[in-house]
Every structure is written in C-alpha cells, then in structure tokens.
Amino acid sequence: MAATSHWTDRLKRRPLYAVFVLAAVAIAAWSFRPRPLVVDIARFERGPVVVAFVEEGRTRLRDRFVVAAPLAGVLERVELDPGDAVAAGQRIGFIRATRAALLDPATREEARARWRAAADEL
C-alpha cells in the first residue's frame, strides 16, 4: 500500500501544477495581447493637395553690393523679386522720405548736395 499512497499523493498535487501552468499561460497571453493603437480622427474634404516643408539653409554671397540712399526714409515698395537681375541705374524700390527735424542751413545745404548727386547718378 505504500506504492498506492505515493500515487495518490502525486494525483492530488497535479491539479495544483495545472493551476500554476494555466496561470502562467494566462499571464503570457495577457502580456502579449495586441493593444489598441491611438489614432487621430478628423473630417476630410476634397481639395487641392498642398505639399510644404520647412528646412534650414545657408546662403553664400559671391558678390556683395551696397545699396544706399542719400536721404533718410522708409522703404515703401521693392519692385524686384529675389534672384532678379539688376542693371546699373535700374530702380529697385521706392523710398518715402521721413519728416526731418528742423535743419540748420549747413545741414540743409548738405542734404541738397546729396540729393543733386543722387539725381545726377540716375
């Protein structure tokens, strides 16, 4: 009967092993289950496709030119687009003169001389 008690003890422990195995399988299945994905939802309409990108860049100047005006003012309008060729004497913009403070006679004559020199260059 000693052999019989050994087998009965073994049979009594098997359900406990089965419970541990089932628990391990359940935990593994739960941890590897597919999770829902987070998505954005929006309404859509038909329309043209617009493609845009933003990048940083650097420019290099081959020839540097100074554009100056003989009088102070505010640049109102630029008549060229970036990359346009410019010929000597070509008008590239319109400057609206600012109100000058009261000028003493020497400063007034200097401003007139600058204005005449600029008009002669055109």
Side-chain angles (χ1 to χ4, degrees):
M1 292 240 179
T4 311
S5 68
H6 175 68
W7 285 105
T8 56
D9 289 340
R10 216 169 175 194
L11 287 175
K12 287 179 185 177
R13 282 189 253 153
R14 275 196 178 165
L16 189 59
Y17 290 134
V19 169
F20 286 133
V21 169
L22 286 174
V25 169
I27 290 171
W30 180 78
S31 65
F32 290 116
R33 79 183 192 290
R35 291 180 177 82
L37 297 175
V38 178
V39 295
D40 293 331
I41 298 174
R43 294 184 180 257
F44 66 93
E45 298 176 0
R46 286 185 184 247
V49 176
V50 178
V51 178
F53 62 94
V54 178
E55 289 290 330
E56 291 185 18
R58 290 181 176 237
T59 58
R60 289 188 215 135
L61 297 175
R62 287 186 224 155
D63 298 321
R64 183 175 285 195
F65 297 96
V66 176
V67 178
L71 299 173
V74 176
L75 183 62
E76 291 264 325
R77 178 178 63 223
V78 177
E79 298 175 351
L80 300 171
D81 292 323
D84 286 351
V86 179
Q90 180 181 352
R91 185 166 128 176
I92 59 172
F94 178 77
I95 297 177
R96 180 176 47 95
T98 57
R99 289 186 170 213
L102 294 175
L103 301 175
D104 60 302
T107 309
R108 183 177 298 134
E109 288 304 315
E110 181 183 347
R112 283 187 183 150
R114 285 185 181 184
W115 181 78
R116 286 188 203 111
D120 291 341
E121 288 181 12
L122 296 177

